[in-house]
Amino acid sequence: MATSAPARTLTDEEKFDLIVSNTQEVMRPDIIRAILPVRPLEIFWGTATTGRPHAAYFVPAIKIAQFLRAGCKVKVLLADLHGFLDADKAPESTLENRAMYYERVIGALLRSVGVDLNNLQFVRGSSYQLTPAFSRDLLRLSKRVSVHDAVKASSEIVKSTGDPVMADGIYPMMQLLDEEYLGVDAEFGGIDQRKTFALANDTIAKAMGFKTRAHLMNPMVPGLSGGKMSSSIPKSKVDLLDEPATIKKKIAKAVCAPGQVEGNGILAFIQHVLLPYSQLQSPDGKAAISVVLKDQSEASIFTSFTEVKDAYKADDLTPQIAKKLVTEGLIKLTTSIRNEFEADSEWQHLAQAAYDNPVPSHTEKGKQRKDTKKKQKAEHIDAAEEGSSMTSQ
């Protein structure tokens, strides 16, 4: 488990810079600036408890670590009912187990980047979203938001299965109310939530009389095969519980075109995870990544993503070297997560109950490998005995 560097007192401007670093957009930064000199900023990050969290979750984990370093008070919302509303990605029968699984894996993920869980709070959406007060406010809000605007707000978040359903409009309105019920000053999420954040910015004060919040958005990390990294696209992601050999294989096959920076998932991981992680671990608060570049015998030090981009465009940092850097970083960051999982039988049972394809334990993996070898050997013998033409192709 990683430990953060000894804390250095930050100025209000340094806190602001750290809070907004590596974000793609910030709505109402003036709210953040006004609060920092007075008290800690209170912020939440929500995640719908759907598919198993993957390596892209290191991006919000790093930001949460930065928020805490800047003195913020942070809440992590396990949005179980949102997962249920999103095209039934989380069937009702799995809600409890998936919420518990998420709390386990995200807790381990945050610890792996040096977060002290005593400094943040996990909140389950269903703990307050089923109360009479929340239901009443949801009905009040539904009278002030058009069907068009509500469905538009969720268009890049919920899975489309044809014509919009009522759940598609309820989803973002519940998210608007989450900010009030969690008592925060700001919400952090992916750029895919921009339409929901814009609706909150335009509506919540006028429609409900609630205060307007700031919204911070990180870019969506490209997947290994291009496009968005997603739990529903196995080839696009590295699972947080993948073995080192599996991580190496997946990264080796990742799309990483020479000289191409845009849409490059390998470089995005360096930018949004490895560099800021090194900064959090550094006593002087400065990022530094050591790497031996092409045709060099001694290591070079990258202190910014601009340096990484320049080296990649010049082919000094080749795709192979970049992949090696990310592979080593991912293995280092996920080792403690895998160790916790393997040592926690309850977590393993949760994985079995929450998902149809849970990650098997080391013992089960060993048995599977042996069974596979026995089966392959038997098939080879059968094919030889039958004079199968497959062996000569």
Side-chain angles (χ1 to χ4, degrees), residues 35-51:
I35 291 173
L36 289 178
V38 180
R39 59 172 175 82
L41 181 76
E42 298 188 35
I43 187 168
F44 93 91
W45 170 69
T47 177
T49 55
T50 52

mmCIF file with all atom_site columns, all heavy atoms in Angstrom, residues 35-51:
data_model
loop_
_atom_site.group_PDB
_atom_site.id
_atom_site.type_symbol
_atom_site.label_atom_id
_atom_site.label_alt_id
_atom_site.label_comp_id
_atom_site.label_asym_id
_atom_site.label_entity_id
_atom_site.label_seq_id
_atom_site.pdbx_PDB_ins_code
_atom_site.Cartn_x
_atom_site.Cartn_y
_atom_site.Cartn_z
_atom_site.occupancy
_atom_site.B_iso_or_equiv
_atom_site.pdbx_formal_charge
_atom_site.auth_seq_id
_atom_site.auth_comp_id
_atom_site.auth_asym_id
_atom_site.auth_atom_id
_atom_site.pdbx_PDB_model_num
ATOM 1   N N   . ILE A 1 35 ? -14.594 29.857 -1.449  1.00 0.00 ? 35 ILE A N   1
ATOM 2   C CA  . ILE A 1 35 ? -14.669 29.011 -0.255  1.00 0.00 ? 35 ILE A CA  1
ATOM 3   C C   . ILE A 1 35 ? -13.304 28.731 0.355   1.00 0.00 ? 35 ILE A C   1
ATOM 4   O O   . ILE A 1 35 ? -13.146 28.706 1.584   1.00 0.00 ? 35 ILE A O   1
ATOM 5   C CB  . ILE A 1 35 ? -15.386 27.682 -0.597  1.00 0.00 ? 35 ILE A CB  1
ATOM 6   C CG1 . ILE A 1 35 ? -16.870 27.945 -0.881  1.00 0.00 ? 35 ILE A CG1 1
ATOM 7   C CG2 . ILE A 1 35 ? -15.228 26.651 0.523   1.00 0.00 ? 35 ILE A CG2 1
ATOM 8   C CD1 . ILE A 1 35 ? -17.621 26.742 -1.396  1.00 0.00 ? 35 ILE A CD1 1
ATOM 9   N N   . LEU A 1 36 ? -12.282 28.520 -0.467  1.00 0.00 ? 36 LEU A N   1
ATOM 10  C CA  . LEU A 1 36 ? -10.971 28.087 0.027   1.00 0.00 ? 36 LEU A CA  1
ATOM 11  C C   . LEU A 1 36 ? -10.375 28.964 1.131   1.00 0.00 ? 36 LEU A C   1
ATOM 12  O O   . LEU A 1 36 ? -9.789  28.426 2.085   1.00 0.00 ? 36 LEU A O   1
ATOM 13  C CB  . LEU A 1 36 ? -9.985  27.970 -1.141  1.00 0.00 ? 36 LEU A CB  1
ATOM 14  C CG  . LEU A 1 36 ? -10.228 26.788 -2.098  1.00 0.00 ? 36 LEU A CG  1
ATOM 15  C CD1 . LEU A 1 36 ? -9.207  26.809 -3.236  1.00 0.00 ? 36 LEU A CD1 1
ATOM 16  C CD2 . LEU A 1 36 ? -10.151 25.460 -1.350  1.00 0.00 ? 36 LEU A CD2 1
ATOM 17  N N   . PRO A 1 37 ? -10.480 30.291 1.075   1.00 0.00 ? 37 PRO A N   1
ATOM 18  C CA  . PRO A 1 37 ? -9.904  31.093 2.170   1.00 0.00 ? 37 PRO A CA  1
ATOM 19  C C   . PRO A 1 37 ? -10.696 31.001 3.475   1.00 0.00 ? 37 PRO A C   1
ATOM 20  O O   . PRO A 1 37 ? -10.194 31.401 4.534   1.00 0.00 ? 37 PRO A O   1
ATOM 21  C CB  . PRO A 1 37 ? -9.948  32.528 1.616   1.00 0.00 ? 37 PRO A CB  1
ATOM 22  C CG  . PRO A 1 37 ? -10.160 32.391 0.146   1.00 0.00 ? 37 PRO A CG  1
ATOM 23  C CD  . PRO A 1 37 ? -10.971 31.148 -0.020  1.00 0.00 ? 37 PRO A CD  1
ATOM 24  N N   . VAL A 1 38 ? -11.920 30.465 3.385   1.00 0.00 ? 38 VAL A N   1
ATOM 25  C CA  . VAL A 1 38 ? -12.826 30.474 4.541   1.00 0.00 ? 38 VAL A CA  1
ATOM 26  C C   . VAL A 1 38 ? -12.870 29.137 5.271   1.00 0.00 ? 38 VAL A C   1
ATOM 27  O O   . VAL A 1 38 ? -12.814 29.062 6.505   1.00 0.00 ? 38 VAL A O   1
ATOM 28  C CB  . VAL A 1 38 ? -14.254 30.880 4.095   1.00 0.00 ? 38 VAL A CB  1
ATOM 29  C CG1 . VAL A 1 38 ? -15.207 30.903 5.282   1.00 0.00 ? 38 VAL A CG1 1
ATOM 30  C CG2 . VAL A 1 38 ? -14.233 32.221 3.389   1.00 0.00 ? 38 VAL A CG2 1
ATOM 31  N N   . ARG A 1 39 ? -12.960 28.039 4.484   1.00 0.00 ? 39 ARG A N   1
ATOM 32  C CA  . ARG A 1 39 ? -13.125 26.697 5.063   1.00 0.00 ? 39 ARG A CA  1
ATOM 33  C C   . ARG A 1 39 ? -12.775 25.649 4.011   1.00 0.00 ? 39 ARG A C   1
ATOM 34  O O   . ARG A 1 39 ? -12.593 25.980 2.827   1.00 0.00 ? 39 ARG A O   1
ATOM 35  C CB  . ARG A 1 39 ? -14.566 26.484 5.542   1.00 0.00 ? 39 ARG A CB  1
ATOM 36  C CG  . ARG A 1 39 ? -15.608 26.634 4.441   1.00 0.00 ? 39 ARG A CG  1
ATOM 37  C CD  . ARG A 1 39 ? -16.992 26.235 4.907   1.00 0.00 ? 39 ARG A CD  1
ATOM 38  N NE  . ARG A 1 39 ? -18.019 26.491 3.911   1.00 0.00 ? 39 ARG A NE  1
ATOM 39  C CZ  . ARG A 1 39 ? -18.297 25.692 2.889   1.00 0.00 ? 39 ARG A CZ  1
ATOM 40  N NH1 . ARG A 1 39 ? -17.582 24.582 2.703   1.00 0.00 ? 39 ARG A NH1 1
ATOM 41  N NH2 . ARG A 1 39 ? -19.253 25.998 2.038   1.00 0.00 ? 39 ARG A NH2 1
ATOM 42  N N   . PRO A 1 40 ? -12.683 24.387 4.408   1.00 0.00 ? 40 PRO A N   1
ATOM 43  C CA  . PRO A 1 40 ? -12.414 23.340 3.419   1.00 0.00 ? 40 PRO A CA  1
ATOM 44  C C   . PRO A 1 40 ? -13.551 23.208 2.405   1.00 0.00 ? 40 PRO A C   1
ATOM 45  O O   . PRO A 1 40 ? -14.737 23.306 2.765   1.00 0.00 ? 40 PRO A O   1
ATOM 46  C CB  . PRO A 1 40 ? -12.300 22.068 4.274   1.00 0.00 ? 40 PRO A CB  1
ATOM 47  C CG  . PRO A 1 40 ? -11.974 22.553 5.641   1.00 0.00 ? 40 PRO A CG  1
ATOM 48  C CD  . PRO A 1 40 ? -12.688 23.859 5.779   1.00 0.00 ? 40 PRO A CD  1
ATOM 49  N N   . LEU A 1 41 ? -13.200 23.002 1.147   1.00 0.00 ? 41 LEU A N   1
ATOM 50  C CA  . LEU A 1 41 ? -14.187 22.740 0.108   1.00 0.00 ? 41 LEU A CA  1
ATOM 51  C C   . LEU A 1 41 ? -14.765 21.348 0.331   1.00 0.00 ? 41 LEU A C   1
ATOM 52  O O   . LEU A 1 41 ? -14.039 20.394 0.604   1.00 0.00 ? 41 LEU A O   1
ATOM 53  C CB  . LEU A 1 41 ? -13.528 22.814 -1.265  1.00 0.00 ? 41 LEU A CB  1
ATOM 54  C CG  . LEU A 1 41 ? -14.438 22.589 -2.477  1.00 0.00 ? 41 LEU A CG  1
ATOM 55  C CD1 . LEU A 1 41 ? -15.282 23.829 -2.740  1.00 0.00 ? 41 LEU A CD1 1
ATOM 56  C CD2 . LEU A 1 41 ? -13.617 22.242 -3.718  1.00 0.00 ? 41 LEU A CD2 1
ATOM 57  N N   . GLU A 1 42 ? -16.078 21.206 0.222   1.00 0.00 ? 42 GLU A N   1
ATOM 58  C CA  . GLU A 1 42 ? -16.733 19.906 0.354   1.00 0.00 ? 42 GLU A CA  1
ATOM 59  C C   . GLU A 1 42 ? -17.173 19.445 -1.035  1.00 0.00 ? 42 GLU A C   1
ATOM 60  O O   . GLU A 1 42 ? -17.887 20.175 -1.731  1.00 0.00 ? 42 GLU A O   1
ATOM 61  C CB  . GLU A 1 42 ? -17.923 19.989 1.309   1.00 0.00 ? 42 GLU A CB  1
ATOM 62  C CG  . GLU A 1 42 ? -17.499 20.381 2.723   1.00 0.00 ? 42 GLU A CG  1
ATOM 63  C CD  . GLU A 1 42 ? -18.624 20.275 3.729   1.00 0.00 ? 42 GLU A CD  1
ATOM 64  O OE1 . GLU A 1 42 ? -19.460 19.360 3.588   1.00 0.00 ? 42 GLU A OE1 1
ATOM 65  O OE2 . GLU A 1 42 ? -18.666 21.102 4.659   1.00 0.00 ? 42 GLU A OE2 1
ATOM 66  N N   . ILE A 1 43 ? -16.734 18.256 -1.423  1.00 0.00 ? 43 ILE A N   1
ATOM 67  C CA  . ILE A 1 43 ? -16.937 17.782 -2.789  1.00 0.00 ? 43 ILE A CA  1
ATOM 68  C C   . ILE A 1 43 ? -17.292 16.301 -2.793  1.00 0.00 ? 43 ILE A C   1
ATOM 69  O O   . ILE A 1 43 ? -16.905 15.574 -1.880  1.00 0.00 ? 43 ILE A O   1
ATOM 70  C CB  . ILE A 1 43 ? -15.653 18.040 -3.626  1.00 0.00 ? 43 ILE A CB  1
ATOM 71  C CG1 . ILE A 1 43 ? -15.861 17.724 -5.100  1.00 0.00 ? 43 ILE A CG1 1
ATOM 72  C CG2 . ILE A 1 43 ? -14.468 17.263 -3.066  1.00 0.00 ? 43 ILE A CG2 1
ATOM 73  C CD1 . ILE A 1 43 ? -14.733 18.233 -5.994  1.00 0.00 ? 43 ILE A CD1 1
ATOM 74  N N   . PHE A 1 44 ? -18.061 15.879 -3.791  1.00 0.00 ? 44 PHE A N   1
ATOM 75  C CA  . PHE A 1 44 ? -18.340 14.450 -3.886  1.00 0.00 ? 44 PHE A CA  1
ATOM 76  C C   . PHE A 1 44 ? -18.108 13.942 -5.305  1.00 0.00 ? 44 PHE A C   1
ATOM 77  O O   . PHE A 1 44 ? -18.194 14.679 -6.287  1.00 0.00 ? 44 PHE A O   1
ATOM 78  C CB  . PHE A 1 44 ? -19.762 14.119 -3.403  1.00 0.00 ? 44 PHE A CB  1
ATOM 79  C CG  . PHE A 1 44 ? -20.836 14.075 -4.469  1.00 0.00 ? 44 PHE A CG  1
ATOM 80  C CD1 . PHE A 1 44 ? -21.154 12.890 -5.129  1.00 0.00 ? 44 PHE A CD1 1
ATOM 81  C CD2 . PHE A 1 44 ? -21.568 15.218 -4.790  1.00 0.00 ? 44 PHE A CD2 1
ATOM 82  C CE1 . PHE A 1 44 ? -22.162 12.842 -6.092  1.00 0.00 ? 44 PHE A CE1 1
ATOM 83  C CE2 . PHE A 1 44 ? -22.585 15.181 -5.742  1.00 0.00 ? 44 PHE A CE2 1
ATOM 84  C CZ  . PHE A 1 44 ? -22.875 13.984 -6.394  1.00 0.00 ? 44 PHE A CZ  1
ATOM 85  N N   . TRP A 1 45 ? -17.778 12.666 -5.345  1.00 0.00 ? 45 TRP A N   1
ATOM 86  C CA  . TRP A 1 45 ? -17.663 11.923 -6.602  1.00 0.00 ? 45 TRP A CA  1
ATOM 87  C C   . TRP A 1 45 ? -18.600 10.726 -6.510  1.00 0.00 ? 45 TRP A C   1
ATOM 88  O O   . TRP A 1 45 ? -18.584 9.991  -5.518  1.00 0.00 ? 45 TRP A O   1
ATOM 89  C CB  . TRP A 1 45 ? -16.226 11.441 -6.826  1.00 0.00 ? 45 TRP A CB  1
ATOM 90  C CG  . TRP A 1 45 ? -16.074 10.464 -7.964  1.00 0.00 ? 45 TRP A CG  1
ATOM 91  C CD1 . TRP A 1 45 ? -16.223 10.727 -9.298  1.00 0.00 ? 45 TRP A CD1 1
ATOM 92  C CD2 . TRP A 1 45 ? -15.757 9.062  -7.878  1.00 0.00 ? 45 TRP A CD2 1
ATOM 93  N NE1 . TRP A 1 45 ? -16.007 9.595  -10.042 1.00 0.00 ? 45 TRP A NE1 1
ATOM 94  C CE2 . TRP A 1 45 ? -15.720 8.550  -9.194  1.00 0.00 ? 45 TRP A CE2 1
ATOM 95  C CE3 . TRP A 1 45 ? -15.503 8.200  -6.814  1.00 0.00 ? 45 TRP A CE3 1
ATOM 96  C CZ2 . TRP A 1 45 ? -15.445 7.212  -9.474  1.00 0.00 ? 45 TRP A CZ2 1
ATOM 97  C CZ3 . TRP A 1 45 ? -15.229 6.862  -7.081  1.00 0.00 ? 45 TRP A CZ3 1
ATOM 98  C CH2 . TRP A 1 45 ? -15.197 6.383  -8.402  1.00 0.00 ? 45 TRP A CH2 1
ATOM 99  N N   . GLY A 1 46 ? -19.439 10.544 -7.525  1.00 0.00 ? 46 GLY A N   1
ATOM 100 C CA  . GLY A 1 46 ? -20.384 9.440  -7.519  1.00 0.00 ? 46 GLY A CA  1
ATOM 101 C C   . GLY A 1 46 ? -20.072 8.426  -8.599  1.00 0.00 ? 46 GLY A C   1
ATOM 102 O O   . GLY A 1 46 ? -19.597 8.787  -9.681  1.00 0.00 ? 46 GLY A O   1
ATOM 103 N N   . THR A 1 47 ? -20.318 7.168  -8.293  1.00 0.00 ? 47 THR A N   1
ATOM 104 C CA  . THR A 1 47 ? -20.139 6.108  -9.286  1.00 0.00 ? 47 THR A CA  1
ATOM 105 C C   . THR A 1 47 ? -21.301 5.140  -9.204  1.00 0.00 ? 47 THR A C   1
ATOM 106 O O   . THR A 1 47 ? -21.643 4.650  -8.121  1.00 0.00 ? 47 THR A O   1
ATOM 107 C CB  . THR A 1 47 ? -18.800 5.360  -9.067  1.00 0.00 ? 47 THR A CB  1
ATOM 108 O OG1 . THR A 1 47 ? -18.689 4.297  -10.016 1.00 0.00 ? 47 THR A OG1 1
ATOM 109 C CG2 . THR A 1 47 ? -18.672 4.798  -7.655  1.00 0.00 ? 47 THR A CG2 1
ATOM 110 N N   . ALA A 1 48 ? -21.953 4.906  -10.340 1.00 0.00 ? 48 ALA A N   1
ATOM 111 C CA  . ALA A 1 48 ? -23.048 3.936  -10.384 1.00 0.00 ? 48 ALA A CA  1
ATOM 112 C C   . ALA A 1 48 ? -22.446 2.540  -10.233 1.00 0.00 ? 48 ALA A C   1
ATOM 113 O O   . ALA A 1 48 ? -21.441 2.206  -10.855 1.00 0.00 ? 48 ALA A O   1
ATOM 114 C CB  . ALA A 1 48 ? -23.809 4.056  -11.706 1.00 0.00 ? 48 ALA A CB  1
ATOM 115 N N   . THR A 1 49 ? -23.062 1.731  -9.401  1.00 0.00 ? 49 THR A N   1
ATOM 116 C CA  . THR A 1 49 ? -22.523 0.404  -9.105  1.00 0.00 ? 49 THR A CA  1
ATOM 117 C C   . THR A 1 49 ? -22.985 -0.594 -10.162 1.00 0.00 ? 49 THR A C   1
ATOM 118 O O   . THR A 1 49 ? -23.891 -1.390 -9.943  1.00 0.00 ? 49 THR A O   1
ATOM 119 C CB  . THR A 1 49 ? -22.952 -0.050 -7.697  1.00 0.00 ? 49 THR A CB  1
ATOM 120 O OG1 . THR A 1 49 ? -24.385 0.018  -7.604  1.00 0.00 ? 49 THR A OG1 1
ATOM 121 C CG2 . THR A 1 49 ? -22.364 0.849  -6.629  1.00 0.00 ? 49 THR A CG2 1
ATOM 122 N N   . THR A 1 50 ? -22.321 -0.548 -11.314 1.00 0.00 ? 50 THR A N   1
ATOM 123 C CA  . THR A 1 50 ? -22.700 -1.410 -12.446 1.00 0.00 ? 50 THR A CA  1
ATOM 124 C C   . THR A 1 50 ? -21.625 -2.476 -12.677 1.00 0.00 ? 50 THR A C   1
ATOM 125 O O   . THR A 1 50 ? -21.500 -3.403 -11.909 1.00 0.00 ? 50 THR A O   1
ATOM 126 C CB  . THR A 1 50 ? -22.933 -0.554 -13.699 1.00 0.00 ? 50 THR A CB  1
ATOM 127 O OG1 . THR A 1 50 ? -21.787 0.293  -13.925 1.00 0.00 ? 50 THR A OG1 1
ATOM 128 C CG2 . THR A 1 50 ? -24.164 0.338  -13.509 1.00 0.00 ? 50 THR A CG2 1
ATOM 129 N N   . GLY A 1 51 ? -20.829 -2.339 -13.764 1.00 0.00 ? 51 GLY A N   1
ATOM 130 C CA  . GLY A 1 51 ? -19.785 -3.328 -14.040 1.00 0.00 ? 51 GLY A CA  1
ATOM 131 C C   . GLY A 1 51 ? -18.609 -3.181 -13.081 1.00 0.00 ? 51 GLY A C   1
ATOM 132 O O   . GLY A 1 51 ? -18.495 -2.191 -12.358 1.00 0.00 ? 51 GLY A O   1
#
